[in-house]
């Protein structure tokens, strides 16, 4: 009976069961993932904005690590044994003992060479995994391109197991939005191992291998040279620039300041550089072009004029006698720079001279329109107009992270918000500064640029996007369909109404507040804006220097480019934002720059407009974090540097005393009528 049982078990093991065959197979055959090169991203002229190069990850399978000279490995990798143990523990916690994990990502060339020379010392558990990584030859477009990083457990779970530990995925920007196009298809190699776990060659001559398929490339609207110029102009500044091609919605350039070099988030120093960027209170990783919200200020006035014209409450010839302040609500606010002289005798002049009283009044006329039952209904219709202009809504750009209106930041508040704030007791006088782009109104630079596209196109727009086409595009590629759809949101507004506003915006440049944006031979239409800027510092609401805002498009007939610029804490719209936009228009439309423009570039690029409060906020953040880790570890090195110096004070010139004006009325400072001539501006020493 015993022999019969043994014989039966032998037959079962050798004929019917494949358990031990699979174990032997796993012991003798190594499955190696082959990662494909990601697709390349090209600019409008076919220049590669980013490309691929090869680096290596040092991988480890913890269960196979046996008889390893730990000390020698640590010397090769320049780590200590404590770090070695921590990495092994992290690998086990992340993927378990029996699955490979990254022990050290993206080895430097020196470390890679050292390990390859000494591979024989580590016959089991460790191997090198080839990894295509990104390189950025122009050192530009960091916020646009985004970055690539290893998948985490949440991404694996969301993908339904499509991604595996060790895979890289787009984490932001175009890399994330077009991940399935760019990533390609993983391949697999099966390699035979000897009894010392050394790889000896292909298994079965590669019969079971699958080839990796490279990702497909993207063709974009981006002008990489204009992008480099815009980034240079925005250096040492907080804010954003975005330029759009109105006829297609294609984004030509987009910059968020402060910026960073995209090559800092690739290669062996990626984690260290990422930590620095995350801990910077200036927020270099924040894309202010799509997520930063600002009061549009006077740049909103052309939209307010179009709403009033379409509602039939004014005509292009409507004028308003402004004596320097708006007294119709009995408070004499907001104030105007102009007084008398017919500067708001019609809509065109009111736009050119940026009359606060004029646009405050037509806002009140719109929400108090007799054809609506009450102010709530009139305001709701006014808000609907603004949403159609793309203000207060998400536009659906082809990258993650766009501002989505919510209760905290709404963009254009609804009636429920005002009912909540003012206990259902409010009128058009309560929020009259909405007519000049203030009060609770907020907009992103993307929204402002898109609103200019709607004015240019006389009522329609295409969703702003970067990608024009995909290499090898087929009917199954539907990702671009939404960006090719024409949104005819305001085509019911008459051409005569649009023309009246466009003529006023042309006058802004020729005789009004934006003469600094004049370009010889090109008819430029623009609007300056100067918006008040408040921030909570040390628990107090502090008024900072005004934000400089500017919107424009050119040429007037068949415009090729629309731009929005916001520079925080920079003063009048024509002082900084206007010149930045003018330089970009000249470069894009003429493909060259005048000598005097080159001098302006040097002046603007060398100007440091970083807010003075940043140094103090950085100190507070660093010291708070240091105290946290000191309490956690009792290691005095975390707080040592903070015991020897006091926190830097906020610069006096960057703040002002808390205003005494009521919270319900927001004062508005109009931009200067005669901006300083560039020739009269003294350059700082050493520039």
């Amino acid at each position: 009976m015993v022999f019969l049982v043994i014989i039966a078990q032998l037959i079962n093991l050798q004929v019917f069961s494949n358990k031990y065959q699979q174990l032997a197979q796993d012991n003798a055959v190594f499955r190696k993932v082959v990662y494909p090169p990601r697709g390349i991203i090209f600019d409008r002229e076919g220049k590669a904005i980013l490309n691929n190069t090869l680096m290596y990850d040092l991988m480890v399978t913890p269960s196979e690590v046996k008889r390893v000279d730990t000390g020698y490995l640590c010397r090769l990798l320049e780590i200590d044994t404590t770090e070695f143990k921590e990495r092994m523990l992290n690998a086990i916690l992340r993927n378990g003992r029996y699955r490979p994990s990254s022990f050290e990502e993206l080895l430097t060339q020196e470390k890679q060479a050292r390990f390859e020379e000494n591979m024989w010392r580590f016959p089991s558990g460790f191997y090198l995994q080839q990894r295509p990584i990104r390189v950025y030859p122009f050192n530009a477009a960091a916020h646009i391109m985004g970055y690539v990083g290893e998948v985490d457990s949440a991404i694996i779970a969301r993908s339904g197991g499509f991604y595996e530990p060790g895979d890289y995925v787009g984490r932001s920007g175009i890399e994330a939005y077009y991940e399935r196009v760019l990533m390609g298809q993983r391949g697999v190699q099966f390699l035979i191992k000897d009894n010392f776990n050394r790889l000896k060659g292909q298994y079965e001559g590669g019969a079971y291998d699958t080839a990796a398929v490279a990702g497909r490339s993207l063709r974009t609207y981006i002008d990489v040279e204009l992008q480099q110029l815009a980034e240079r102009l925005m250096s040492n500044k907080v804010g954003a620039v975005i330029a759009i091609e109105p006829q297609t919605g294609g984004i030509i350039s987009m910059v968020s300041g402060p910026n960073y070099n995209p090559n800092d988030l690739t290669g062996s120093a990626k984690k260290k550089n990422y930590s620095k960027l995350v801990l910077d209170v200036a927020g270099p990783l924040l894309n202010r072009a799509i997520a930063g919200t600002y009061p549009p200020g006077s740049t909103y006035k052309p939209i307010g004029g179009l709403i009033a014209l379409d509602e039939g409450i004014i005509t292009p010839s409507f004028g308003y006698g402004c004596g320097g302040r708006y007294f119709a609500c009995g408070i004499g606010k907001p104030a105007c720079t102009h007084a008398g002289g017919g500067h708001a005798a019609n809509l065109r002049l009111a736009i050119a001279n940026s009359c606060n009283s004029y646009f405050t009044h037509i806002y009140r006329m719109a929400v108090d329109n007799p054809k609506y039952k009450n102010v709530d209904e009139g305001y709701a219709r006014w808000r609907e107009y603004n949403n159609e202009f793309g203000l207060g809504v998400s536009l659906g750009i082809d990258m993650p992270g766009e501002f989505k209106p919510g209760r905290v930041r709404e963009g254009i508040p609804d009636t429920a918000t005002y009912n909540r704030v003012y206990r259902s007791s409010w009128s058009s006088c309560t929020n009259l500064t909405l007519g000049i782009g203030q009060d609770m109104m907020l907009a992103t630079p993307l929204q402002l640029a898109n609103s200019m596209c709607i004015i240019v196109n006389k009522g329609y727009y295409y969703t702003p996007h970067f990608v024009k086409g995909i290499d090898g595009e087929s009917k199954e590629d539907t990702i671009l369909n939404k960006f090719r759809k024409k949104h005819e949101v305001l085509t019911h507004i008459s051409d005569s109404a649009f023309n009246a506003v466009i003529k006023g915006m042309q006058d802004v440049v020729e005789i009004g507040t934006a003469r600094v944006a004049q370009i010889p031979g090109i008819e430029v239409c623009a609007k300056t804006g100067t918006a008040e800027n408040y921030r909570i510092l040390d628990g107090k609401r502090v008024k900072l220097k005004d934000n400089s805002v500017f919107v424009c498009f050119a040429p007037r007939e068949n415009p090729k480019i629309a731009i929005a610029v916001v520079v925080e804490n920079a003063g009048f719209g024509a002082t900084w934002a206007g010149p930045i936009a003018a330089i970009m228009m000249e470069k894009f439309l003429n493909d060259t720059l005048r000598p005097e423009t080159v001098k302006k570039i040097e002046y603007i690029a060398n100007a440091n407009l970083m807010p003075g409060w940043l140094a103090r906020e950085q100190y507070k953040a660093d010291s708070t974090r240091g105290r946290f880790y000191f309490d956690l570890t009792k290691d005095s090195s975390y707080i040592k540097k903070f015991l020897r110096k006091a926190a830097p004070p906020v610069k006096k010139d960057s703040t002002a005393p808390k205003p005494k004006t009521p919270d319900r009325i927001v004062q508005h400072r109009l931009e200067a009528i005669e901006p300083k001539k560039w020739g009269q501006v003294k350059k700082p020493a050493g520039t």
Side-chain angles (χ1 to χ4, degrees):
M1 289 296 297
V2 172
F3 277 107
L4 287 175
V5 171
I6 293 173
I7 292 170
Q9 181 64 3
L10 287 173
I11 294 172
N12 176 57
L13 292 175
Q14 297 183 50
V15 178
F16 299 106
S17 174
N18 61 359
K19 174 182 177 182
Y20 290 97
Q21 180 183 359
Q22 185 63 45
L23 290 173
Q25 181 88 351
D26 293 342
N27 193 48
V29 179
F30 174 72
R31 180 182 182 273
K32 184 177 182 180
V33 177
V34 180
Y35 292 102
R38 290 176 70 88
I40 300 170
I41 301 177
F42 297 93
D43 86 336
R44 64 193 301 121
E45 300 297 331
K47 300 172 185 174
I49 306 173
L50 58 74
N51 215 322
N52 295 307
T53 190
L54 288 176
M55 293 187 73
Y56 289 84
D57 291 346
L58 178 59
M59 307 296 290
V60 62
T61 305
S63 64
E64 298 179 3
V65 177
K66 300 172 183 176
R67 301 183 301 276
V68 171
D69 187 343
T70 305
Y72 195 83
L73 178 63
C74 290
R75 287 198 297 274
L76 290 178
L77 298 178
E78 299 174 1
I79 61 175
D80 56 28
T81 53
T82 302
E83 177 71 13
F84 175 87
K85 292 176 182 177
E86 288 180 0
R87 292 187 184 185
M88 290 296 292
L89 180 60
N90 288 335
I92 294 170
L93 293 175
R94 189 164 63 243
N95 293 322
R97 291 180 176 275
Y98 303 99
R99 304 186 69 175
S101 298
S102 173
F103 189 79
E104 182 165 329
E105 294 181 4
L106 305 176
L107 298 174
T108 63
Q109 290 183 349
E110 294 79 6
K111 288 184 179 181
Q112 176 196 335
R114 285 184 218 150
F115 196 84
E116 286 183 335
E117 289 176 358
N118 293 276
M119 185 77 77
W120 60 273
R121 296 177 183 272
F122 313 104
S124 62
F126 291 94
Y127 67 95
L128 291 176
Q129 172 72 63
Q130 192 178 73
R131 177 82 66 181
I133 66 160
R134 295 305 210 181
V135 290
Y136 304 83
F138 293 95
N139 296 325
H143 289 98
I144 299 175
M145 298 296 105
Y147 66 95
V148 176
E150 187 176 354
V151 296
D152 54 28
S153 57
I155 294 175
I156 294 173
R158 287 197 301 268
S159 72
F162 176 81
Y163 291 107
E164 300 175 357
D167 286 352
Y168 274 30
V169 65
R171 303 299 295 262
S172 66
I174 293 178
E175 292 273 24
Y177 192 89
Y178 293 96
E179 166 65 17
R180 291 301 176 97
V181 176
L182 292 167
M183 70 169 291
Q185 183 177 325
R186 294 183 299 262
V188 178
Q189 281 184 338
F190 292 96
L191 304 173
I192 195 73
K193 297 186 290 185
D194 64 11
N195 57 328
F196 292 105
N197 273 323
R198 295 174 296 194
L199 300 179
K200 288 299 186 179
Q202 291 182 318
Y203 173 70
E204 295 291 341
Y208 300 100
D209 294 354
T210 57
V213 179
R216 289 183 291 165
S217 298
L218 304 177
R219 308 285 169 168
T220 72
Y221 293 93
I222 300 168
D223 184 327
V224 73
E225 291 186 5
L226 187 69
Q227 178 72 20
Q228 287 179 303
L229 174 62
E231 291 185 10
R232 186 180 176 195
L233 293 170
M234 286 297 293
S235 60
N236 290 316
K237 298 169 186 67
V238 178
V241 176
I242 186 162
I244 302 177
E245 186 178 81
Q247 287 78 14
T248 63
I251 299 175
I252 303 166
S253 174
M254 185 181 75
V255 178
S256 177
N259 201 358
Y260 65 93
N261 187 332
N263 284 301
D264 288 344
L265 292 187
T266 187
S268 55
K270 178 179 69 175
K271 288 186 177 180
K272 181 179 179 181
N273 293 332
Y274 182 79
S275 297
K276 289 181 180 179
L277 293 172
V278 167
L279 299 178
D280 189 340
V281 297
L285 291 176
L286 172 65
N287 188 346
R288 289 174 168 86
I290 64 172
T293 53
Y294 305 91
S298 293
T299 62
Y300 172 76
K301 290 174 181 176
I303 296 174
L306 283 168
I307 294 172
L309 288 170
D310 192 54
E311 283 286 88
I313 56 178
I314 68 168
T315 65
S317 61
F318 174 81
Y320 187 81
C322 174
R325 287 183 172 273
Y326 186 70
F327 291 99
C329 285
I331 56 175
K333 295 177 182 178
C336 286
T337 301
H338 294 81
H343 71 278
N346 55 51
L347 176 61
R348 184 172 175 176
L349 284 170
I351 293 175
N353 294 308
S354 199
C355 178
N356 281 354
S357 295
Y358 186 99
F359 291 96
T360 297
H361 190 66
I362 65 172
Y363 160 74
R364 295 189 60 226
M365 293 171 67
V367 299
D368 292 335
N369 194 332
K371 72 179 182 180
Y372 302 115
K373 295 179 182 178
N374 50 47
V375 68
D376 283 48
E377 188 175 322
Y379 178 83
R381 178 62 185 125
W382 175 87
R383 181 176 183 267
E384 185 180 343
Y385 268 108
N386 284 282
N387 291 161
E388 290 169 343
F389 271 105
L391 304 181
V393 295
S394 294
L395 295 173
I397 187 174
D398 54 346
M399 65 165 50
E402 184 185 359
F403 165 69
K404 290 180 173 57
R407 182 167 178 174
V408 177
R409 291 189 303 164
E410 295 179 89
I412 308 293
D414 58 13
T415 54
T417 299
Y418 281 110
N419 287 334
R420 183 177 68 252
V421 173
Y422 296 106
R423 299 181 181 180
S424 299
S425 179
W426 61 279
S427 68
S428 61
C429 283
T430 307
N431 53 19
L432 78 173
T433 51
L434 286 171
I436 55 175
Q438 299 237 184
D439 195 72
M440 295 186 190
M441 183 185 292
L442 296 171
T444 66
L446 172 67
Q447 292 171 345
L448 294 177
N450 186 67
S451 70
M452 293 300 104
C453 293
I454 295 174
I455 293 175
V456 164
N457 296 328
K458 297 182 178 177
Y460 73 86
Y461 75 98
Y462 291 91
T463 300
H465 59 290
F466 294 96
V467 176
K468 182 187 300 184
I470 302 170
D471 284 3
E473 187 174 349
S474 64
K475 292 182 179 179
E476 287 72 30
D477 294 311
T478 60
I479 193 169
L480 294 178
N481 289 354
K482 66 178 258 187
F483 304 115
R484 293 164 179 167
K485 180 182 178 182
K486 188 177 184 179
H487 303 285
E488 298 182 343
V489 286
L490 292 162
T491 50
H492 56 81
I493 298 179
S494 67
D495 284 0
S496 61
F498 280 111
N499 288 333
V501 168
I502 290 171
K503 288 176 182 177
M505 295 181 71
Q506 183 179 354
D507 288 345
V508 170
V509 178
E510 295 181 355
I511 62 172
T513 59
R515 300 179 195 182
V516 70
Q518 293 177 359
I519 303 173
I522 298 175
E523 291 181 330
V524 177
C525 301
K527 187 69 193 78
T528 52
T530 307
E532 290 193 339
N533 180 22
Y534 293 89
R535 190 177 186 89
I536 303 298
L537 295 174
D538 296 330
K540 298 178 181 178
R541 185 171 182 261
V542 179
K543 184 181 183 301
L544 305 174
K545 195 173 182 180
D546 296 336
N547 292 335
S548 178
V549 191
F550 195 84
V551 294
C552 61
F553 54 85
R556 177 186 159 181
E557 299 298 329
N558 192 25
K560 299 292 190 298
I561 187 170
I563 300 178
V565 182
V566 177
V567 185
E568 296 185 27
N569 298 273
F572 298 130
T575 305
W576 293 104
I580 289 172
I583 292 169
M584 292 180 64
M585 284 189 292
E586 182 178 342
K587 170 62 177 173
F588 184 75
L589 296 174
N590 293 339
D591 198 28
T592 187
L593 294 168
R594 294 168 290 155
E596 55 267 37
T597 303
V598 174
K599 293 181 181 179
K600 290 182 185 180
I601 293 173
E602 293 299 320
Y603 178 82
I604 295 173
N606 292 329
N608 188 340
L609 303 180
M610 297 297 287
W613 52 266
L614 280 173
R616 179 176 177 82
E617 292 300 301
Q618 187 68 62
Y619 178 92
K620 288 165 61 179
D622 291 344
S623 58
T624 301
R625 186 167 48 253
R627 182 56 190 244
F628 171 80
Y629 285 110
F630 169 72
D631 291 340
L632 193 67
T633 65
K634 305 305 178 184
D635 184 349
S636 61
S637 64
Y638 286 111
I639 61 172
K640 188 175 182 180
K641 63 181 179 180
F642 301 109
L643 299 176
R644 298 180 180 178
K645 60 181 181 179
V650 176
K651 292 183 180 179
K652 294 181 180 179
D653 60 354
S654 65
T655 62
K658 184 178 179 181
K660 298 180 180 179
T661 54
D663 289 341
R664 291 189 178 188
I665 302 298
V666 181
Q667 288 185 318
H668 178 76
R669 184 184 299 169
L670 188 65
E671 55 273 11
I673 287 300
E674 278 291 333
K676 293 181 179 179
K677 305 297 183 183
W678 281 104
Q680 299 173 351
V681 178
K682 294 182 179 180
K683 294 184 178 181
T687 61

